[in-house]
Amino acid sequence: MWLSNSSIGRKVVMSLTGIALILFLTFHMAMNLVALVSPEGYNMICEFLGANWYALVATVGLAALFVLHILYAFWLTVQNRRARGNERYEVVATPKNVKWASQNMLALGIVIVVGLILHMAHFWANMQLPEIMHKLGSHVDEGVMANVANGALHIEATFSNPINVVLYLVWLAALWFHLTHGFWSSMQSMGWSNKLWINRWKCISDIYSTIVVVGFALVVVVFFLKSLCCGTVACPFA
């Protein structure tokens, strides 16, 4: 099949899955920002998503996109290393006009995967997973079930810990580098750029990635400062 047997096809799969994941990140960032304005409103969104069939379908689809993106990333990396052979060992300096991120996309991706596992342990494992287990007939502690839709509480609990704050900020920094290269690179692989538009896409990529990452980081920092200031989500921060 062309999408798996050719280098261009594999790049197209990487691009399409990457663009889909970027759209999800945008939605997730916007959703998280609601928690800064209204914890109650954020919890309503969490309850709406929960373990309903449409949320479960979206979760499975998202997981499939993420797995495909990772597998094709490793596949392309191995392919590129084989194609370059021993030449890669002769390179001692970064080529001109090649960003650091483009040389370290796989390493950045690994950091992002580790951060995602941490994120799922803090949120998905305490929210959607207990609902799924409950619907499947497994016993789930009543205290856990009572807070599965209380996303604001989980955000507060996670980011009141300075260690988690540092880990998430490092994760977001890696995500920024990954997105700034991945965004415009996807457009290039899809053939949606030329000599005129490539620099425009790079600029758009930097701006868009910064907005998304700063949005996530804002939630982390504000909730951490809230925990220092007054210790509760309900406490006004001013």
Side-chain angles (χ1 to χ4, degrees):
M1 185 178 178
W2 175 71
L3 290 176
S4 59
N5 294 334
S6 71
S7 175
I8 295 177
R10 288 189 282 270
K11 288 182 179 179
V12 168
V13 173
M14 276 284 292
S15 300
L16 289 174
T17 55
I19 292 170
L21 291 171
I22 288 173
L23 291 174
F24 167 74
L25 283 173
T26 305
F27 163 76
H28 195 16
M29 180 271 294
M31 172 181 161
N32 283 4
L33 288 177
V34 174
L36 297 179
V37 181
S38 172
E40 294 78 12
Y42 179 72
N43 288 345
M44 288 177 64
I45 297 175
C46 293
E47 186 174 3
F48 173 74
L49 295 176
N52 299 302
W53 69 268
Y54 45 83
L56 293 177
V57 170
T59 300
V60 172
L62 182 64
L65 287 171
F66 195 79
V67 170
L68 273 176
H69 195 73
I70 294 172
L71 290 177
Y72 273 77
F74 276 101
W75 196 350
L76 283 170
T77 300
V78 171
Q79 179 191 33
N80 291 338
R81 286 178 179 271
R82 287 177 177 174
R84 288 163 56 192
N86 293 328
E87 291 181 5
R88 68 180 184 273
Y89 298 111
E90 299 174 3
V91 178
V92 295
T94 301
K96 186 178 180 180
N97 297 328
V98 175
K99 290 186 176 182
W100 177 85
S102 67
Q103 300 291 306
N104 296 276
M105 288 296 281
L106 184 60
L108 289 169
I110 292 172
V111 173
I112 292 170
V113 170
V114 173
L116 178 64
I117 294 172
L118 180 68
H119 182 66
M120 292 182 68
H122 285 146
F123 296 97
W124 183 77
N126 291 312
M127 299 176 72
Q128 193 178 69
L129 180 59
E131 281 196 78
I132 295 173
M133 294 175 62
H134 179 70
K135 288 187 175 184
L136 291 175
S138 299
H139 173 73
V140 181
D141 184 85
E142 292 183 3
V144 174
M145 285 301 300
N147 291 311
V148 291
N150 195 342
L153 178 67
H154 294 297
I155 291 178
E156 179 190 41
T158 300
F159 300 131
S160 62
N161 185 332
I163 296 176
N164 287 336
V165 172
V166 172
L167 291 175
Y168 271 82
L169 291 179
V170 170
W171 178 36
L172 290 172
L175 180 63
W176 184 85
F177 280 110
H178 195 81
L179 290 178
T180 53
H181 175 75
F183 190 106
W184 70 261
S185 180
S186 295
M187 299 303 170
Q188 185 180 51
S189 296
M190 295 297 295
W192 297 338
S193 67
N194 50 38
K195 290 183 179 180
L196 175 64
W197 266 94
I198 187 63
N199 288 327
R200 293 178 179 176
W201 278 124
K202 288 181 178 180
C203 181
I204 293 171
S205 177
D206 288 345
I207 294 172
Y208 192 82
S209 302
T210 300
I211 291 173
V212 170
V213 170
V214 167
F216 280 117
L218 193 62
V219 175
V220 175
V221 173
V222 169
F223 269 83
F224 174 64
L225 293 177
K226 280 185 177 182
S227 70
L228 294 179
C229 172
C230 43
T232 63
V233 175
C235 179
F237 184 74

